[in-house]
Amino acid sequence: MEQTSTPAGALRKNALGMWNIVFFVLATNGPLTGLIGVVPTAILMGNGVGLPGVFLLVGAVYLLFAVGFVAMGRHIRNAGAFYAYVATGLGRPMGAASAFLAIVAYAGMQIACYGLIGFFTSEAFHRLGINLEWWVASIGYAILVQLFGTRNVEFNGRFLALLMLAELVVIVIFDIAVVGHGGGPEGFSMVSFEPTNVFATGLGAALVFVGGAFMGFETTAIYAEEARDPAKTLPRATFTALILIMLFYAASSWLLLVAIGPSVAIDTITQDPGGVWFQLSTKLVGVALADAINILLITSLFAVLLSFHNSLSRYLFSMGRERILPSILAVTHKKHQTPYVASTLQTAICLILLVIFGVAGADPITQVLPLGSAPATIGILAVQCLASIAVIRYFRKNSMGVSIWQRLIAPVVSALALAYGVVLIINNMSLLTGGDSVFNSLIPLGMLAVALSGMCLAGWHKWRNPQIYANLGRVLNEV
């Protein structure tokens, strides 16, 4: 591949339409990955049969968040997304803190997903009589993600769209089969949406997994510089993606519990959390659906990894362009106009971490998954909370014709809800780490240290490089 480069700030213009961006969002949260690989674990480690209700609860909070997010997005277009929002609304030091939190959050979700894809690939090879270590498989995928990540964004959009359509089809077939069989042994029980079950013990742990399902909607802002007619495309893509994610996860996780029977769901899932979907698919439809899910689960995880990779590359690109991180990260590929240097850096870090996990003998499901997703969810919720507050500050002196609902009421409610979510997750950290673990304190403190390091770096630039400091979080009016 030709690696000739162009200067910073040359992302591909007018490359993505609304549905391209929606598919990027769906790919980031990986519908099949979430349902097959995460929902059973979330039921066991979280609030049990009340999990479907949590998807509706979190979806409602994010719809409120999106009200202010979209309103401010009409004035802020930057591949750094939340970073630019927070920097503009709350000041450059807070913007830098949010950028560092977002980068670590995306990196954490990447590692969690590499654990999942390595595990399921290893299991697939094991059934063929081949012994393949999960981390070795993950290294192979990391190299493949790097190759895709340096291709032009239109190619990635079309590729992800095909994978998403295939995922949605197999899950819709499963859902229709459950309805066609008249539900489960207890009919169409609605206990999953009763407040006593939704707000049961373990809600904080459930938020870690459910929050991950909504993590990708920031993608709409990340691709602002590459979107066609962003003033119309981005708001439509944001709300469309959020509603689809909320309804899809809530309905499908509910129908899973219905098919099992809520009263016996916990015991049934405990026996085989990784195989419950395949067993039910075989029972309700046939072995062909189970086999299709098995194959598409791996492609789904690959799509998630590719989408996170693209998002993180653009965050690093934005940081490099504004020189808060080394400017070489803002170098783009001459042919594909992708931030290939940032892409290569994150791939190298992932490869190093995968080797460390492999040598240490880490379990991909019980260790890599929660240790990657917990800091990721804390980080992204904290950044989203800051973004809501930034919306309020941004419109405080000049409403710019934005209604009080958009600039104040919705952002205040979403900020309070997101902050409460962070507290719940921290208080329930032991459910994710398996008890009294040093990680219960290290993970929240580590994310606090990440935020403080961003603020300190911004302060250093203010002292030593005032021109660089003045450009942090700049609005790209040329978009």
Side-chain angles (χ1 to χ4, degrees):
M1 180 182 294
E2 181 187 4
Q3 293 292 308
T4 306
S5 308
T6 56
L11 291 175
R12 198 176 187 90
K13 307 298 182 184
N14 300 315
L16 301 172
M18 187 198 83
W19 284 106
N20 291 122
I21 297 174
V22 169
F23 280 123
F24 269 121
V25 175
L26 293 178
T28 303
N29 71 72
L32 202 58
T33 297
L35 290 172
I36 310 299
V38 177
V39 162
T41 305
I43 291 172
L44 295 180
M45 300 179 72
N47 64 336
V49 298
L51 187 73
V54 180
F55 281 110
L56 293 181
L57 178 66
V58 174
V61 171
Y62 276 129
L63 285 172
L64 284 174
F65 171 84
V67 171
F69 176 71
V70 165
M72 190 170 179
R74 294 189 176 94
H75 307 277
I76 306 293
R77 293 170 196 157
N78 185 306
F82 288 149
Y83 153 67
Y85 286 55
V86 176
T88 304
L90 299 181
R92 296 173 180 87
M94 292 300 293
S98 69
F100 278 41
L101 284 172
I103 287 170
V104 172
Y106 277 113
M109 286 303 294
Q110 267 194 313
I111 290 300
C113 290
Y114 274 122
L116 280 175
I117 197 170
F119 170 78
F120 285 112
T121 301
S122 177
E123 288 292 297
F125 272 85
H126 181 72
R127 286 191 291 271
L128 297 174
I130 301 172
N131 184 28
L132 177 67
E133 295 289 342
W134 73 267
W135 59 277
V136 175
S138 294
I139 286 175
Y141 286 117
I143 295 171
L144 193 58
V145 166
Q146 170 66 15
L147 293 175
F148 273 76
T150 54
R151 292 291 304 275
N152 73 69
V153 73
E154 293 164 296
F155 169 81
N156 281 274
R158 291 192 295 269
F159 177 75
L160 291 174
L162 290 173
L163 293 183
M164 288 306 98
L165 288 174
E167 288 184 50
L168 295 174
V169 167
V170 296
I171 292 300
V172 168
I173 290 173
F174 175 88
D175 291 347
I176 292 173
V178 176
V179 174
H181 281 77
E186 300 169 42
F188 291 100
S189 173
M190 300 299 290
V191 297
S192 293
F193 305 104
E194 293 177 0
T196 53
N197 290 321
V198 175
F199 294 94
T201 302
L203 174 61
L207 288 175
V208 169
F209 299 102
V210 173
F214 288 87
M215 198 168 173
F217 84 90
E218 183 194 354
T219 303
T220 58
I222 287 175
Y223 291 102
E225 297 178 45
E226 298 160 277
R228 291 192 292 270
D229 192 9
K232 294 180 179 179
T233 299
L234 300 183
R236 292 172 182 173
T238 300
F239 284 106
T240 299
L242 279 174
I243 292 170
L244 286 175
I245 292 168
M246 177 178 67
L247 296 180
F248 185 82
Y249 275 105
S252 296
S253 60
W254 170 62
L255 287 171
L256 169 70
L257 292 166
V258 163
I260 300 170
S263 64
V264 297
I266 302 298
D267 292 336
T268 301
I269 295 173
T270 300
Q271 293 173 14
D272 187 10
V276 64
W277 282 95
F278 303 106
Q279 294 168 10
L280 287 170
S281 297
T282 301
K283 175 183 176 182
L284 297 173
V285 180
V287 69
L289 180 62
D291 289 342
I293 290 176
N294 200 20
I295 294 171
L296 288 171
L297 176 58
I298 294 176
T299 62
S300 171
L301 280 161
F302 181 79
V304 172
L305 285 166
L306 179 58
S307 190
F308 272 124
H309 180 92
N310 286 334
S311 297
L312 183 51
S313 293
R314 281 152 180 79
Y315 253 110
L316 293 171
F317 164 85
S318 181
M319 296 297 96
R321 179 172 58 190
E322 300 185 5
R323 295 173 63 188
I324 194 169
L325 290 179
S327 58
I328 192 172
L329 294 173
V331 173
T332 56
H333 193 281
K334 183 176 182 179
K335 178 180 179 181
H336 299 296
Q337 294 179 280
T338 52
Y340 79 90
V341 175
S343 174
T344 303
L345 173 65
Q346 62 165 311
T347 297
I349 293 172
C350 284
L351 290 174
I352 292 170
L353 289 174
L354 288 171
V355 170
I356 292 173
F357 282 130
V359 172
D363 184 274
I365 300 299
T366 61
Q367 293 176 312
V368 177
L369 175 60
L371 292 180
S373 58
T377 309
I378 291 174
I380 208 66
L381 284 179
V383 171
Q384 289 165 347
C385 181
L386 290 174
S388 289
I389 299 171
V391 171
I392 299 168
R393 288 288 303 275
Y394 181 72
F395 290 113
R396 184 182 60 179
K397 294 183 178 179
N398 185 356
S399 67
M400 302 182 191
V402 176
S403 70
I404 192 170
W405 165 251
Q406 293 173 297
R407 70 177 190 269
L408 182 62
I409 298 174
V412 166
V413 176
S414 64
L416 292 173
L418 291 165
Y420 183 59
V422 173
V423 173
L424 275 179
I425 292 169
I426 293 173
N427 289 340
N428 285 268
M429 194 64 63
S430 61
L431 295 176
L432 297 167
T433 60
D436 188 13
S437 168
V438 66
F439 289 106
N440 294 344
S441 299
L442 282 182
I443 290 175
L445 290 176
M447 296 308 290
L448 177 61
V450 167
L452 291 175
S453 65
M455 296 181 70
C456 290
L457 184 57
W460 185 84
H461 279 301
K462 183 178 182 179
W463 174 47
R464 296 299 301 271
N465 304 295
Q467 185 174 359
I468 291 176
Y469 180 81
N471 284 331
L472 298 185
R474 64 183 179 179
V475 180
L476 303 180
N477 294 318
E478 69 269 20
V479 176

